[in-house]
Every structure is written in structure tokens, then in C-alpha cells.
Amino acid sequence: MREVDLKKYSLKDLLLAAMKSEIESHLVYTTIAEQVKNGLLKDKLKFLAKEEEKHRIFVEQVYKAKFPKKKLTIPKTTPVPLPQLIIPDEDTPLGTILKNAMNAEQA
């Protein structure tokens, strides 16, 4: 993945993009957890989903502190490029799922 020059985006745009990314990641982990049969993997995915929710709450608190008079509305799209999140089907190898998740986290 290529580097993005974050200086060209406003703090507001960056925070909204971060919240959108956390929401989407939570959805992916939750959806995958509902599909897998392996109990250990299901627990790990639920844990990751909870972590994404914690991240969203943290970023939301920062947003509200920086922009107390602005209404918080998560955009459908953002000017900040986000990694593509794909909900895999049940035939996708676990290694591929985890690699894609890690790539999204690093973006």
C-alpha cells in the first residue's frame, strides 16, 4: 500500500475517516465471527470486533473534544483513502483473512 500524505487532510476529515474505518472493521470482524464454526477463532474475532469498538469510541471522544459544536456524522465516503475491507466467504483461508485484517490495520 502506498503512503498517503496526511498533511493535506483536515483533522476533522482524518477523525471522521478513522471512525468510519473502525466501524467498518467492527462489522467485518463481527460478520466473520458469525460465520465461523471454530470456537477459538470465533472468540478471537469477537475480541477484535470489541477492540475496533473501543478505538471508535476513543476517536469519537477526540472528535467531540476538538469540535464540540459540530454534529458528528459519519460520512458514506471520505476524502481520506481507506483500505478496502472485504468480508470473505467461508472458503477463504484463515491466513488470508488475518493478512487482510493486518494490512487494513497498518493503513
Side-chain angles (χ1 to χ4, degrees):
M1 176 165 278
R2 66 175 176 62
E3 282 193 36
V4 177
D5 181 11
L6 298 179
K7 293 177 197 160
K8 68 182 187 177
Y9 301 104
S10 70
L11 178 60
K12 181 181 173 200
D13 285 341
L14 290 170
L15 292 171
L16 290 172
M19 281 185 275
K20 180 174 176 52
S21 178
E22 299 301 341
I23 290 166
E24 290 174 353
S25 296
H26 178 271
L27 175 64
V28 169
Y29 289 133
T30 302
T31 301
I32 297 170
E34 290 170 357
Q35 295 174 0
V36 300
K37 294 172 179 50
N38 179 306
L40 180 61
L41 179 56
K42 184 181 291 280
D43 288 345
K44 297 283 185 195
L45 290 164
K46 286 180 180 180
F47 170 80
L48 291 171
K50 287 179 187 175
E51 290 298 304
E52 299 301 336
E53 181 63 12
K54 288 180 198 175
H55 300 160
R56 183 202 54 81
I57 290 168
F58 174 77
V59 176
E60 185 176 316
Q61 290 170 343
V62 171
Y63 181 93
K64 288 179 178 179
K66 294 287 185 183
F67 306 102
K69 296 182 182 189
K70 296 242 183 208
K71 181 181 178 192
L72 174 60
T73 304
I74 304 298
K76 289 185 181 186
T77 61
T78 73
V80 181
L82 295 175
Q84 183 180 11
L85 296 174
I86 301 168
I87 298 176
D89 61 35
E90 64 183 58
D91 294 331
T92 304
L94 176 57
T96 300
I97 295 170
L98 295 175
K99 181 179 177 188
N100 289 343
M102 293 289 78
N103 288 339
E105 286 295 321
Q106 291 174 352

